[in-house]
Amino acid sequence: MSLKSKMPLQVWILTLAAFAIGTAEFVIAGILTQVAESLTISEGQAGHLITAYALAIVIGGPILTLWLARYRKRVVLIGLMALFVVSNLITAFSTDYTTLMISRVMAGLTQGPFYGIGAVVATRLVSEKMAGQAVGQMFAGLTLANVLGVPGGAWIGNIYGWNTTFVVVAILGALSAVAIAIGVPARGAEEPKSVRSQLGAFRNPQLIASLMITTLGWVGFMTFYGYIAPIAENIAGFERSSLTWILAIVGLGLVLGNTLGGKTADRNLSVSLIGWPAAMIASLILVGLVASQPFLFVAAAFVFGIVSFANVPPMQMRVMKHAGDAPEFAATANISAFNIANALGGIIGGIVVDSTYGAGYIPFAAIIVPAIGLAFIIWQEHKSRFANVIA
């Protein structure tokens, strides 16, 4: 029996919402140069919109999740999607940089709580033995956003203007909100665990180390992916209209990588935690070396898509392994860790693209923090062996 036949419609509704939210987060990568030209700002300044969105998730996600956990989950999900719709409509009709920045922060505030609380709702909609599949199905919306949403948004922006892209994203959010209101069953409010008990999980140094692994290891992804448009246009020499299929190819790599990373993590978590960051670093070097060769650039970017997203399952699994009695809060914190990395990546890429080095050096700059992260991962996974050698 297929996964689709097993999963109730309500989980697919959550998948649609996750798709809309994921598209809103990553679509800026496909329309970055258009936004910069429209607002008469540099590409680096436009890239700060990535950083602002990510920081909103980092700061607002855990706080809002703790606060909203006491309310009826369906009402919370509808409210979050309503804020998401309003935020993206403001983005769509923004005519100045400040308003656009504020609207991106507003939209970013919805992501962490929706994924955290939505994951809990997904598990309640199925039997216990299917809980993991339900969560995976919901988060598939985020992966599909990179395959369909981002290239689709770039295509819409190229033809009708970047503002129209965010109108479409808002429509997807509105459809999701209506579907949640109609299709997701209401449940009573729950007595949440105390904030103190949830924060107590962070006394475990291995949980802190796991979040550091996510942050350091993931920075390279958004450093490159967030600025793929200026690299493709200015270095590889593609027309702007080509970004649609380039992003679709990279997005396909992300899907394959997510699946591959999950399988390898099940087989050997420690090897996956070391192997995939090393592979991502190697792929970024390859991208930088062939960036001026159009089709080699696309092939290398596809490989980057595979090996970058293969990092996600092992990083998530390590966090959950050391989460103790606060798996929901730890999962939300890991979303924040990913987005700290996204924010850093946006800053690093923005500095490089506006510098005298230019977009061609972004892939090389993208390996610096992940290389530090790889050394930290190796130390964490084998420090007992190192200690024995030193002794």
Side-chain angles (χ1 to χ4, degrees):
M1 188 178 293
S2 68
L3 180 63
K4 182 175 181 180
S5 63
K6 291 180 180 179
M7 284 297 159
L9 175 63
Q10 293 92 334
V11 176
W12 286 90
I13 291 172
L14 297 175
T15 304
L16 173 63
F19 173 80
I21 294 172
T23 300
E25 178 179 14
F26 293 114
V27 75
I28 196 73
I31 56 176
L32 189 74
T33 53
Q34 297 178 49
V35 173
E37 292 171 1
S38 173
L39 300 181
T40 319
I41 58 177
S42 70
E43 291 172 340
Q45 288 176 303
H48 292 162
L49 297 170
I50 299 171
T51 302
Y53 190 102
L55 288 177
I57 299 172
V58 171
I59 298 170
I63 296 172
L64 286 176
T65 299
L66 288 172
W67 178 58
L68 294 171
R70 70 196 68 190
Y71 299 106
R72 295 177 184 271
K73 290 179 171 51
R74 186 181 70 161
V75 174
V76 169
L77 294 179
I78 294 170
L80 289 170
M81 292 310 298
L83 176 60
F84 175 82
V85 171
V86 171
S87 302
N88 281 283
L89 286 176
I90 294 174
T91 298
F93 293 101
S94 294
T95 56
D96 64 273
Y97 184 60
T98 301
T99 302
L100 183 57
M101 182 70 74
I102 292 172
S103 69
R104 289 293 288 170
V105 170
M106 290 171 59
L109 288 173
T110 66
Q111 182 162 322
F114 188 93
Y115 285 166
I117 296 171
V120 175
V121 171
T123 62
R124 305 279 172 80
L125 292 169
V126 297
S127 64
E128 185 176 347
K129 65 180 181 179
M130 290 182 60
Q133 295 180 62
V135 173
Q137 176 62 43
M138 189 193 104
F139 278 92
L142 178 60
T143 308
L144 287 172
N146 288 284
V147 181
L148 301 175
V150 173
W155 178 78
I156 291 170
N158 186 56
I159 296 179
Y160 302 104
W162 67 266
N163 307 80
T164 307
T165 298
F166 287 101
V167 172
V168 174
V169 169
I171 292 172
L172 286 173
L175 291 173
S176 302
V178 172
I180 291 170
I182 296 173
V184 176
R187 295 179 183 273
E190 300 174 6
E191 186 66 30
K193 297 177 182 178
S194 69
V195 172
R196 178 177 295 180
S197 67
Q198 295 186 70
L199 292 176
F202 288 84
R203 297 191 187 114
N204 181 358
Q206 282 301 314
L207 177 57
I208 302 299
S210 299
L211 295 172
M212 289 182 63
I213 286 171
T214 296
T215 301
L216 295 173
W218 190 247
V219 168
F221 173 77
M222 190 55 75
T223 304
F224 170 67
Y225 188 75
Y227 294 88
I228 193 172
I231 299 172
E233 291 181 37
N234 301 333
I235 307 302
F238 284 103
E239 296 293 329
R240 184 169 297 173
S241 58
S242 299
L243 279 174
T244 299
W245 63 265
I246 293 173
L247 288 167
I249 290 173
V250 176
L252 178 60
L254 302 183
V255 174
L256 294 174
N258 190 53
T259 301
L260 187 59
K263 291 181 178 179
T264 59
D266 284 336
R267 292 173 185 169
N268 192 315
L269 181 58
S270 181
V271 170
S272 295
L273 285 165
I274 295 171
W276 291 122
M280 185 175 74
I281 291 170
S283 74
L284 285 166
I285 294 173
L286 178 62
V287 169
L289 292 174
V290 303
S292 61
Q293 306 297 318
F295 294 103
L296 287 178
F297 167 75
V298 174
F302 174 67
V303 173
F304 163 81
I306 295 174
V307 298
S308 62
F309 250 57
N311 282 279
V312 175
M315 287 176 176
Q316 290 176 328
M317 286 179 67
R318 195 182 200 280
V319 167
M320 299 307 296
K321 178 181 177 181
H322 299 288
D325 295 328
E328 294 175 19
F329 188 56
T332 303
N334 201 39
I335 292 172
S336 292
F338 275 114
N339 283 280
I340 290 173
N342 285 344
L344 290 174
I347 292 171
I348 293 169
I351 291 172
V352 176
V353 77
D354 282 348
S355 73
T356 55
Y357 293 102
Y361 281 84
I362 287 177
F364 299 113
I367 72 174
I368 298 172
V369 177
I372 297 171
L374 179 59
F376 180 72
I377 294 168
I378 293 172
W379 166 253
Q380 286 296 317
E381 291 299 302
H382 298 287
K383 59 184 177 182
S384 60
R385 184 178 302 174
F386 291 142
N388 291 333
V389 170
I390 295 172

